[in-house]
Each structure stands twice: as structure tokens, then as C-alpha cells.
């Protein structure tokens, strides 16, 4: 059922121009060139453009344009919207290449333009993976020098790839979507049959994310862009274009101005600075784990998995018990919680590492003795901390020995 709904959603998500605005023709030297009368096309003698046919893991052949800028330091991988193909976007690609001073790789999804196959969520994922691999193998571009750009539906494959590449230079989300279903209706939950679940993937992106969205977008509400910006780990200053719609943001001067600023800052961010920032972020997230707990176990914060044990600090011990679960201060045999009580009369935390006798720690009885249904001798739970006897693993002789 979920698969059928997903296929139905795909029909509403993809609108490839029909007929395509361009065709491919092979020249005498074996290279591909573009032939079209419906849109501006590259000149056959343009040496800065490579027209490529790239194989995907789904068995499709997709068309890609690689526009070379001799002054570029970064490469922009552009994933377009759902109702355009490369023939319509070539003029925009030239402007971006010149104004942003970048190399630009644009591609048509399966079933778009002269690309073979049929468009679907999974095929767009395979498409962008194949294009990125082409950048690596054919042009020697590393992920540190790549900025992913996704417009509208293109935000789906963009965030799919970005969530898998930890060292990307940056990501641009142009009129991006939270998910496919959320474009059609305002739902608060993510369903299994939803497509392009960007709401989950944007949280995994580890590089700066620039969000561009029009405040009067009639197709994808501005709230989608705002949500993506808020959920990104490293949000860059967003661009909310006042009065901007879904397909006309490139016409506003602020669009290219803000993009130039973003590209320049990404260029100045060296690999050393980027790694330093990643280490600092990891260090901060690690230290924040125990920031609310003043007395923590030596290995991990004393957090109870049981909902009834929400107060971590009140029962936290400054000692790591070898017989307990390493992730929480509770007995492994306990089904509910059975927490160790605080030791107010303990002479020192060192005694806890040397003995298991409750008398030295001021404990007279188990806080929840009823949670030992398997114990062969329930009375033993009142006087010892031996979890093995509480689950009935000790023999009768061992239990007697413990009580003696």
C-alpha cells in the first residue's frame, strides 16, 4: 500500500517538459553537442562546456552539462526543479558560472530532457550519486571543493547526498521542501509513504546550509524554507526574498548578491578551519551530554531509560559499577527501574568499588523489591547487591554463601 501511494506521489512530483527542449547529437570527433530550437543552446565550439552521458546504478543514462570557469576554486553541483530541463537552464548556468566564479555541473534526472528512464525519488538519488562520482573520477573534484545546490524538488537529491558527505564545503536550498506530502497538506508527522523526507536529512548535514525562499511562494510555502533553516546544524544567514514566488527568485538582485557572499565565505574557509570547526562542534556536543548532571559515572552520564526514573542527578553515583548496565545506574535484572539509592552515610566513594555490601553505604532495603520475580530467595534482595542471585543465576549454595 505504501509503495502504491509513493508511486502516486511521484506522479504529482515530476513534470518533465514534453517534448524536451533539446536533443543530443554526436559530432565527427565523437563528442556530444546539444541541438535545440526551443531554448538558448550552447555554441558547438564552446570549449568551456562538456556535454556528458553518465550511467547510473539503475541502468539509466542521464545527460549532464559541465561548465568550466578558469578562475574557479569551487564546483557547484546543481539539481533543478521538477518542471525544467537542461535546455531551459543553460543560460542560468552561464550566469552563475561567471558571477559566482565557480565550475558548474548540472544534470537532468532520469526521464527528463534526453536522459533515459522514468523519474522517481529513488532514481533521482541514483542520478546525483552518479554525477558526483563523475566529478570525482573525471574531473578530480573532492567533496571539500563541492557546493550542492538544490532547487524545489532538487532539494531532495541534494540533501540525500549532503547527508552522506561529511566534508562538503556547503549546501544551498532554493525554494526547498520539508517533504513531498507536506507540500500538498500541512501534516505534522512523517509517513512511511512520504517522498523526499528532507525534514529528517537536513539534520545530518555537517556543512553550512544557505536557505533561499520567496515569502510569496505559491507552490512551496515559505514555512518549508524556514523549517529547513531552523533544523540545519550549521545554518548560514538565510535569504527571504520579499514578494518572491517559486520560479522567479533569480530575477531579484538580492539573489545573486547573497549567493556571491556565500560563495566567497566558503572559498575563504580552508580545510584546516573546517576541520577545527568540526572538532570544536564535536567537543561541545560531547560536553553537553553531562552538563545537566553534576555527578556522573566515569564512562557515561547516569541516564535512566525507564520513564519513571527521570531524575538523573538525584540518584547518580560517582562510580562505574562493573556488574551494572554501562548506560544507566540500574540493575540489569530489573524490569522497571530499581535504582540504587543515594549513599548519604557512605564514608567514601572508594568503598563502592571494593565491596557490594549495603551496610557500608547505609542501605537497608531494596527500593523496589517487587521487581525481582525471578529471585530464588527474595530476602536476599534486602541485604545484597548481587544481581546474579536476583535473577536466579546463583545456585542455592551460592545464595547461602552470600547471606552468610
Amino acid at each position: 500500500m505504501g509503495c502504491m501511494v509513493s508511486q502516486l506521489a511521484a506522479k504529482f512530483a515530476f513534470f518533465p517538459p514534453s517534448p524536451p527542449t533539446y536533443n543530443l547529437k554526436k559530432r565527427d570527433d565523437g563528442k556530444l553537442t546539444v541541438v535545440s530550437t526551443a531554448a538558448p543552446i550552447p555554441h558547438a565550439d564552446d570549449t568551456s562546456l562538456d556535454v556528458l552521458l553518465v550511467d547510473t546504478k539503475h541502468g539509466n543514462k542521464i545527460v549532464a552539462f559541465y561548465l568550466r570557469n578558469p578562475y574557479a576554486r569551487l564546483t557547484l553541483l546543481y539539481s533543478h526543479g521538477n518542471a525544467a530541463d537542461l535546455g531551459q537552464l543553460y543560460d542560468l548556468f552561464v550566469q552563475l558560472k561567471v558571477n559566482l566564479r565557480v565550475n558548474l555541473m548540472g544534470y537532468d534526472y532520469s526521464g527528463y530532457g534526453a536522459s533515459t528512464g522514468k523519474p522517481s525519488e529513488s532514481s533521482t538519488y541514483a542520478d546525483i550519486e552518479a554525477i558526483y562520482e563523475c566529478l570525482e573520477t573525471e574531473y578530480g573534484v573532492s567533496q571539500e571543493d563541492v557546493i550542492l545546490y538544490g532547487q524545489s524538488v532538487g532539494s531532495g537529491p541534494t540533501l540525500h547526498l549532503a547527508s552522506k558527505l561529511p566534508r562538503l564545503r556547503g549546501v544551498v536550498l532554493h525554494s526547498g521542501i520539508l517533504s513531498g506530502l507536506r507540500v500538498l497538506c500541512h501534516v505534522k508527522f512523517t509517513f512511511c509513504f512520504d517522498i523526499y523526507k528532507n525534514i529528517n536529512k537536513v539534520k545530518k548535514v555537517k556543512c553550512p546550509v544557505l536557505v533561499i525562499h520567496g515569502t510569496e511562494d505559491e507552490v512551496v510555502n515559505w514555512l518549508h524554507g524556514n523549517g529547513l533553516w531552523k533544523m540545519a546544524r550549521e545554518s548560514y544567514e538565510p535569504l527571504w526574498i520579499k514578494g518572491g514566488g517559486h520560479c522567479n527568485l533569480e530575477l531579484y538582485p538580492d539573489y545573486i548578491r547573497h549567493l556571491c557572499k556565500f560563495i566567497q565565505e566558503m572559498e575563504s574557509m580552508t580545510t584546516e578551519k573546517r576541520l577545527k570547526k568540526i572538532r570544536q562542534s564535536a567537543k561541545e556536543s560531547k560536553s553537553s551530554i553531562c552538563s545537566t548532571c553534576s555527578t556522573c559515572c566515569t564512562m557515561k552520564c547516569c541516564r535512566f531509560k525507564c520513564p519513571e526514573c527521570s531524575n538523573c542527578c538525584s540518584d547518580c553515583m560517582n562510580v562505574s559499577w562493573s556488574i551494572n548496565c554501562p548506560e544507566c545506574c540500574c540493575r540489569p535484572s530489573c524490569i522497571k527501574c530499581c535504582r540504587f539509592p543515594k549513599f548519604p552515610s557512605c564514608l567514601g566513594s572508594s568503598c563502592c568499588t571494593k565491596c557490594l555490601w549495603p551496610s557500608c553505604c547505609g542501605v537497608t532495603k531494596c527500593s523496589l523489591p517487587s521487581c525481582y520475580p525471578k529471585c530464588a530467595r527474595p530476602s536476599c534482595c534486602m541485604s545484597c547487591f548481587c544481581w546474579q542471585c536476583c535473577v536466579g543465576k546463583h545456585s542455592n549454595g551460592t545464595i547461602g554463601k552470600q547471606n552468610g
Side-chain angles (χ1 to χ4, degrees), residues 202-390:
V202 69
K203 303 172 186 176
K204 302 177 182 178
V205 178
K206 299 179 180 178
C207 63
V209 177
L210 165 62
V211 177
I212 303 173
H213 217 105
T215 59
E216 301 298 326
D217 193 323
E218 69 287 355
V219 179
V220 180
N221 192 284
W222 169 82
L223 293 174
H224 285 254
N226 189 49
L228 291 170
W229 174 67
K230 286 183 177 179
M231 285 182 287
R233 281 188 179 186
E234 192 175 341
S235 298
Y236 186 82
E237 179 187 354
L239 175 60
W240 312 129
I241 298 183
K242 188 175 181 180
H246 190 68
C247 301
N248 63 351
L249 300 187
E250 298 89 346
L251 303 178
Y252 289 81
D254 284 343
Y255 168 79
I256 197 69
R257 188 182 301 121
H258 202 76
L259 262 180
C260 283
K261 178 185 175 185
F262 177 73
I263 296 296
Q264 289 172 1
E265 290 191 23
M266 295 305 103
E267 284 179 342
S268 63
M269 185 182 294
T270 62
T271 303
E272 185 179 355
K273 289 181 181 179
R274 185 84 192 106
L275 291 174
K276 185 178 180 180
K277 201 167 187 178
I278 292 174
R279 293 191 193 101
Q280 183 179 0
S281 177
K283 186 177 180 181
E284 289 175 356
S285 62
K286 185 177 179 181
S287 61
S288 65
I289 295 176
C290 294
S291 61
T292 58
C293 184
S294 58
T295 54
C296 294
C297 299
T298 55
M299 297 301 294
K300 294 186 178 180
C301 182
C302 173
R303 294 179 181 268
F304 294 103
K305 294 182 178 180
C306 176
E308 298 175 16
C309 303
S310 59
N311 189 355
C312 168
C313 299
S314 63
D315 297 297
C316 189
M317 297 181 299
N318 191 24
V319 61
S320 179
W321 292 81
S322 60
I323 64 169
N324 296 324
C325 173
E327 295 190 7
C328 65
C329 298
C330 63
R331 302 186 186 185
S333 60
C334 180
I335 298 175
K336 294 184 179 179
C337 62
C338 192
R339 299 173 290 180
F340 282 116
K342 198 171 182 180
F343 303 140
S345 60
C346 184
L347 297 177
S349 59
S350 59
C351 72
C352 300
T353 59
K354 299 177 181 178
C355 74
L356 293 174
W357 296 104
S359 57
C360 72
C361 296
V363 180
T364 57
K365 63 178 182 178
C366 178
S367 58
L368 270 176
S370 60
C371 68
Y372 300 114
K374 299 180 180 180
C375 185
R377 293 182 63 186
S379 60
C380 74
C381 301
M382 301 292 187
S383 57
C384 76
F385 279 91
C386 184
W387 66 271
Q388 289 179 315
C389 70
C390 294

Side-chain angles (χ1 to χ4, degrees), residues 13-327:
F14 303 107
F15 301 95
S18 182
T21 62
Y22 70 96
N23 291 304
L24 296 183
K25 182 180 178 180
K26 186 171 287 189
R27 300 189 307 191
D28 294 338
D29 58 2
K31 292 185 177 181
L32 293 172
T33 185
V34 179
V35 179
S36 175
T37 57
I41 58 173
H43 194 271
D45 297 328
D46 186 1
T47 57
S48 67
L49 171 71
D50 292 341
V51 181
L52 310 168
L53 266 181
V54 181
D55 295 318
T56 74
K57 63 183 180 183
H58 285 187
N60 299 325
K61 290 183 179 294
I62 59 174
V63 182
F65 288 178
Y66 182 77
L67 288 78
R68 196 178 288 101
N69 187 323
Y71 304 103
R73 293 175 56 188
L74 302 177
T75 299
L76 197 72
L77 201 170
Y78 193 106
S79 300
H80 61 69
N82 67 346
D85 63 17
L86 291 179
Q88 297 169 317
L89 294 169
Y90 173 72
D91 189 50
L92 172 65
F93 287 173
V94 172
Q95 293 182 39
L96 292 177
K97 178 193 79 168
V98 174
N99 293 323
L100 302 181
R101 203 171 63 174
V102 295
N103 298 317
L104 192 146
M105 173 73 89
Y107 66 100
D108 263 338
Y109 309 124
S110 297
Y112 277 71
S115 298
T116 64
K118 292 184 178 181
S120 68
E121 180 187 14
S122 60
S123 69
T124 58
Y125 293 159
D127 296 340
I128 194 171
E129 288 173 0
I131 294 299
Y132 174 73
E133 185 179 353
C134 175
L135 278 176
E136 282 190 314
T137 56
E138 298 296 324
Y139 297 97
V141 179
S142 61
Q143 63 175 285
E144 291 87 352
D145 297 325
V146 172
I147 294 177
L148 300 183
Y149 188 114
Q151 178 188 14
S152 188
V153 166
S155 61
T158 292
L159 287 175
H160 166 76
L161 184 61
S163 64
K164 294 184 173 185
L165 301 177
R167 299 190 305 277
L168 275 176
R169 188 62 66 100
V171 168
V172 180
L173 300 178
H174 173 165
S175 302
I177 64 175
L178 288 170
S179 75
L181 191 59
R182 285 175 171 83
V183 176
L184 302 176
C185 52
H186 298 288
V187 293
K188 294 184 179 180
F189 304 99
T190 301
F191 296 92
C192 60
F193 52 81
D194 201 354
I195 64 172
Y196 294 128
K197 303 180 183 73
N198 295 340
I199 192 171
N200 298 330
K201 293 182 180 179
V202 69
K203 303 172 186 176
K204 302 177 182 178
V205 178
K206 299 179 180 178
C207 63
V209 177
L210 165 62
V211 177
I212 303 173
H213 217 105
T215 59
E216 301 298 326
D217 193 323
E218 69 287 355
V219 179
V220 180
N221 192 284
W222 169 82
L223 293 174
H224 285 254
N226 189 49
L228 291 170
W229 174 67
K230 286 183 177 179
M231 285 182 287
R233 281 188 179 186
E234 192 175 341
S235 298
Y236 186 82
E237 179 187 354
L239 175 60
W240 312 129
I241 298 183
K242 188 175 181 180
H246 190 68
C247 301
N248 63 351
L249 300 187
E250 298 89 346
L251 303 178
Y252 289 81
D254 284 343
Y255 168 79
I256 197 69
R257 188 182 301 121
H258 202 76
L259 262 180
C260 283
K261 178 185 175 185
F262 177 73
I263 296 296
Q264 289 172 1
E265 290 191 23
M266 295 305 103
E267 284 179 342
S268 63
M269 185 182 294
T270 62
T271 303
E272 185 179 355
K273 289 181 181 179
R274 185 84 192 106
L275 291 174
K276 185 178 180 180
K277 201 167 187 178
I278 292 174
R279 293 191 193 101
Q280 183 179 0
S281 177
K283 186 177 180 181
E284 289 175 356
S285 62
K286 185 177 179 181
S287 61
S288 65
I289 295 176
C290 294
S291 61
T292 58
C293 184
S294 58
T295 54
C296 294
C297 299
T298 55
M299 297 301 294
K300 294 186 178 180
C301 182
C302 173
R303 294 179 181 268
F304 294 103
K305 294 182 178 180
C306 176
E308 298 175 16
C309 303
S310 59
N311 189 355
C312 168
C313 299
S314 63
D315 297 297
C316 189
M317 297 181 299
N318 191 24
V319 61
S320 179
W321 292 81
S322 60
I323 64 169
N324 296 324
C325 173
E327 295 190 7

